[in-house]
Amino acid sequence: MTEQQRTYPPGVTCWINTDQPDVDAALEFYGGLFGWTFHDVMPADAPRRYVVGQLGGRDAAAVAGPRERGESREAAWNTYIAVDDVDATTERLVSLGATVVSPPAEAGRGGRTSVLTDPEGAEFRLWRARGMLGAQVANQPGAWNFSDLHTADPDAAADFYGRAFGWSLDDLGYATAIRVPGYGDHLESTIDPDIRTRQASAPDGFEDVIGSFGPLVDGEAPHWHVTFTVADRDEAASSVERLGGTVLSSGDDDWTRHALVRDPAGARFTISQFAPVEWD
């Protein structure tokens, strides 16, 4: 792996964290499931905690929540999109129909961020990196794989996000793939040097896919959904239940063995084992 600049190109999903009502309980669950180690990045007297999970010494994701237990907070995973200018991008996205949840603000020495919802109400976050560059490990067991938008109106979502970030969108029939041309080059030169070898038989351009648009599931609200890579879907699913989570469903497709799961506080995410049957 080279030691080139490891920030993410603008328009690429770059970081994830989970809001939790009980940070310590979440650390026990995710540490046990993915093998993460953790370090607090907020001062000890801060009212909230922000704990970065690492895999092999590299930043994988974070857990955020109140320092004192008992504060009511809905558990959920959040997805960040890299931008060059949080303030200007926030203003432009509002003109396209987005709504500001939290205006642009400094996130300590890590960077600058804002929180918005798209026209359908799905929340996402912008990130201009400084000290915290984004996920520094991906596409390997225990690490983030990608984020998908679950939407009731994929055409409207394609229009908004295409104008917002310049994404290339490919209709796969069952979902709409999101591509950022050149993203595969970034991954290969930074955090995933084996991506083209692993995906040698994949369709052209697959290495540039950052996620997809998919349908809503079981009456859920539109949201950005997070998927993690695991070595073995069944073993990981058993670990979810052993650690107090719930397996909601599981299935296989041509490329993965996956399961939709819920952590003990209620945050949903997917675990996915890369197991391609045959690439066309």
Side-chain angles (χ1 to χ4, degrees), residues 133-182:
L133 303 180
Q136 300 299 288
V137 60
N139 302 335
Q140 69 179 56
W144 180 34
N145 189 192
F146 50 77
S147 293
D148 294 322
L149 177 67
H150 290 194
T151 173
D153 192 340
D155 291 336
D159 178 67
F160 171 76
Y161 286 100
R163 289 188 293 152
F165 301 110
W167 289 345
S168 297
L169 304 169
D170 298 331
D171 185 0
L172 303 179
Y174 60 88
T176 300
I178 307 166
R179 286 192 304 110
V180 175

Side-chain angles (χ1 to χ4, degrees), residues 194-214:
D194 299 324
I195 185 171
R196 285 191 164 91
T197 300
R198 191 174 63 252
Q199 299 179 359
S201 300
D204 290 342
F206 191 80
E207 70 275 10
D208 291 333
V209 172
I210 66 169
S212 69
F213 298 159

Side-chain angles (χ1 to χ4, degrees), residues 31-94:
L33 179 60
F34 294 133
W36 295 346
T37 58
F38 299 98
H39 66 96
D40 279 88
V41 299
M42 297 290 285
D45 59 351
R48 290 181 54 75
R49 297 177 66 188
Y50 197 87
V51 185
V52 174
Q54 293 188 321
L55 189 65
R58 300 185 184 275
D59 294 351
V63 177
R67 189 163 296 277
E68 298 296 331
R69 297 182 182 181
E71 178 182 319
S72 178
R73 189 173 187 89
E74 182 179 357
W77 278 96
N78 308 300
T79 294
Y80 292 72
I81 301 170
V83 296
D84 284 332
D85 188 321
V86 168
D87 298 72
T89 303
T90 298
E91 183 176 352
R92 184 170 60 82
L93 295 188
V94 169

